[in-house]
């Protein structure tokens, strides 16, 4: 189950530490990590100073029920302080634990943050929590069932101006856990829980202006997570994974308020599962090199911006199980992305959307017969 889950995770490997994808980020593809966006506040709360007096609603992915729906707000209190929050985000790794152990995931959580700018460097702190608890008491056979799962995270960041650019550093510490307990009529209990569940993430990013219309954007990221499955106080399998990403992009300003970004990067994701004796059950590693990104955002009119992002990845997977190692080059279909989208501005409102991939390659429903929605993601923003 974990292997299938992280096959999906590797698709968004280079944004696993620091960037969510609202409709604008999704349209820019994996190159979006080299571009500033309001969603940066979630991972670099110090940047809340840069995006004051704004609220955004992300309409999520089309499914039944819809998933990924969340909203943020950020308010400036004078020139030096900003506070805000986000509702219904699914940021913690407890969601992965729930998937691995067949549990109910936490309810979408709550983010809170604050940022302070004394004039020479911006500071920001963020907090996130999500959880779920269930209790069942059967009076007929006097059994009781208690289940709980939660994730809590603290984020700290700093940002310093470098001419018209900036240097940004973010740190993330997450604590995740799940447990269930059956108590029977004779007083005996059965328990299952996760132990550990610590996630650590670090990311550094620099927007380094070299000329008036050109800047370099190096990005370095690290993320690790581990936990042990414990049944009736006996440790079973221990899971661990680690992600490292390094990349650099050249951003060029074009037209008025438009840009082209070209990036080149390296990513590696590894996971391992050991049994209670410490013997490796399997090890899995996926290396992506190079990852080439190209994205652009240009104004078509005063009220319309057009966006596109293309990513090409060359990836190799190595799987070691029982001393037998298998190396596979991942196919182009797994690691090629083409996204297009647009932003429509009407007064203080902005509506962003990303066109569904099915519509790009096969046409809308009336042409292709495939019942995909018109947009892959959409969001609405209001600023004042």
């Amino acid at each position: 189950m974990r292997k299938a889950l992280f096959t999906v995770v590797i698709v968004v490997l280079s944004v696993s530490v620091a960037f969510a994808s609202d409709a604008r980020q999704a349209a820019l593809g994996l190159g979006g990590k080299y571009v500033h966006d309001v969603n940066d506040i979630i991972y670099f709360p110090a940047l809340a100073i840069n995006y004051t007096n704004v609220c955004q609603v992300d309409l999520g992915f089309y499914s039944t029920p819809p998933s990924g729906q969340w909203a943020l707000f950020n308010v400036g209190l004078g020139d030096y302080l900003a506070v805000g929050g986000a509702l219904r985000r699914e940021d913690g790794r407890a969601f992965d634990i729930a998937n691995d152990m067949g549990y109910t995931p936490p309810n979408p959580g709550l983010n809170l943050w604050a940022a302070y700018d004394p004039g020479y460097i911006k500071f920001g702190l963020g907090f996130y929590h999500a959880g779920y608890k269930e209790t069942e008491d059967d009076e007929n056979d006097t059994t009781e069932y208690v289940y709980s799962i939660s994730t809590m995270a603290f984020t700290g960041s700093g940002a310093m101006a470098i001419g018209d650019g900036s240097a940004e550093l973010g740190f993330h510490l997450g604590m995740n856990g799940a447990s269930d307990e059956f108590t029977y009529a004779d007083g005996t209990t059965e328990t299952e829980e996760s132990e550990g569940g610590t996630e650590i993430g670090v990311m550094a990013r620099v927007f380094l202006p070299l000329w008036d219309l050109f800047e370099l954007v190096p990005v370095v990221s690290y993320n690790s997570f581990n936990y042990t499955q414990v049944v009736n106080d006996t440790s079973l399998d221990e899971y661990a994974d680690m992600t490292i990403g390094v990349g650099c992009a050249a951003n060029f300003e074009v037209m008025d308020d438009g840009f082209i970004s070209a990036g080149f990067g390296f990513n590696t994701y590894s996971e391992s599962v050991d049994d209670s004796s410490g013997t490796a059950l399997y090890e899995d590693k996926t290396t992506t090199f190079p990852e080439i990104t190209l994205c652009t955002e240009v104004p078509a009119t005063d009220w319309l911006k057009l966006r596109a992002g293309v990513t090409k990845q060359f990836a190799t997977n190595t799987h070691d199980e029982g001393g037998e190692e298998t190396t596979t080059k991942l196919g182009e279909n797994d690691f090629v992305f083409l996204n297009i989208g647009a932003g429509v501005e009407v007064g203080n409102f902005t509506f962003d959307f990303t066109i569904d991939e099915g519509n790009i390659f096969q046409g809308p429903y009336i042409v292709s017969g495939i019942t995909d929605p018109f947009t892959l993601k959409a969001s609405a923003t209001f600023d004042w």
Side-chain angles (χ1 to χ4, degrees), residues 215-234:
E215 66 180 1
L216 285 180
V217 187
V219 177
V220 179
S221 62
Y222 167 85
N223 184 272
S224 66
F225 174 66
N226 67 83
Y227 79 92
T228 301
Q229 186 178 9
V230 180
V231 177
N232 295 329
D233 298 323
T234 301

Side-chain angles (χ1 to χ4, degrees), residues 15 29 45 98 116 124 162 185 194 200 229 244 272 295 312-313 328 370:
V15 296
Y116 176 62
I162 303 178
S194 64
I200 297 175
Q229 186 178 9
I244 298 174
S272 64
C295 62
K312 173 67 176 180
Q313 293 179 313
T328 305
I370 299 174

Side-chain angles (χ1 to χ4, degrees), residues 64-349:
T64 306
S67 62
Q69 295 180 327
W70 64 279
L72 71 77
F73 68 94
N74 189 55
V75 180
L77 304 177
D79 297 329
Y80 310 107
L81 183 65
V83 296
L87 304 173
R88 293 188 54 79
R89 286 185 60 84
E90 299 180 4
D91 288 335
R93 296 297 292 269
F95 293 91
D96 296 339
I97 293 176
N99 184 78
D100 297 340
M101 299 175 68
Y103 285 158
T104 301
N107 294 316
L110 169 68
N111 299 74
L112 297 172
W113 60 76
Y116 176 62
D117 181 8
Y120 52 93
I121 186 171
K122 302 179 180 72
F123 298 96
L125 293 175
F127 171 78
Y128 173 78
H129 180 264
Y132 174 78
K133 186 172 184 178
E134 178 182 343
T135 301
E136 297 180 6
D137 193 353
D138 190 337
E139 297 180 356
N140 293 327
D141 57 9
T142 63
T143 61
E144 183 180 27
Y145 171 70
V146 179
Y147 164 68
S148 65
I149 185 169
S150 67
T151 176
M152 181 185 301
F154 299 90
T155 303
S157 68
M160 181 177 64
I162 303 178
D164 293 331
S166 65
E168 302 157 6
L169 177 65
F171 175 79
H172 177 87
L173 174 64
M175 293 160 283
N176 307 267
S179 66
D180 66 5
E181 179 179 299
F182 284 93
T183 302
Y184 298 99
D186 60 3
T188 60
T189 61
E190 292 183 0
T191 63
E192 182 177 10
E193 63 183 331
S194 64
E195 188 176 85
T198 302
E199 179 187 16
I200 297 175
V202 181
M203 182 167 186
R205 183 174 65 166
V206 179
F207 290 83
L208 183 63
L210 299 182
W211 296 284
D212 289 342
L213 305 178
F214 172 71
E215 66 180 1
L216 285 180
V217 187
V219 177
V220 179
S221 62
Y222 167 85
N223 184 272
S224 66
F225 174 66
N226 67 83
Y227 79 92
T228 301
Q229 186 178 9
V230 180
V231 177
N232 295 329
D233 298 323
T234 301
S235 297
L236 299 182
D237 296 340
E238 179 179 348
Y239 303 92
D241 65 68
M242 181 177 65
T243 304
I244 298 174
V246 179
C248 186
N251 292 351
F252 302 88
E253 183 179 340
V254 295
M255 304 175 65
D256 214 8
D257 198 26
F259 66 84
I260 295 176
S261 176
F264 186 88
F266 161 86
N267 301 290
T268 179
Y269 168 78
S270 60
E271 67 165 324
S272 64
V273 180
D274 298 342
D275 64 20
S276 57
S277 67
T279 302
L281 297 180
Y282 74 82
E283 296 181 356
D284 198 86
K285 183 176 181 179
T286 299
T287 300
T288 304
F289 181 78
E291 174 189 87
I292 302 170
T293 62
L294 181 64
C295 62
T296 183
E297 179 179 81
V298 294
T301 67
D302 292 340
W303 53 270
L304 177 64
K305 287 185 178 179
L306 302 179
R307 306 180 182 113
V310 179
T311 300
K312 173 67 176 180
Q313 293 179 313
F314 299 84
T316 302
N317 175 264
T318 301
H319 184 77
D320 188 334
E321 187 168 354
E324 186 173 328
E325 185 175 284
T326 303
T327 300
T328 305
K329 288 187 177 181
L330 300 180
E332 182 176 79
N333 291 336
D334 297 326
F335 291 101
V336 175
F337 300 88
L338 170 62
N339 299 314
I340 62 173
V344 179
E345 299 180 13
V346 181
N348 293 74
F349 289 91

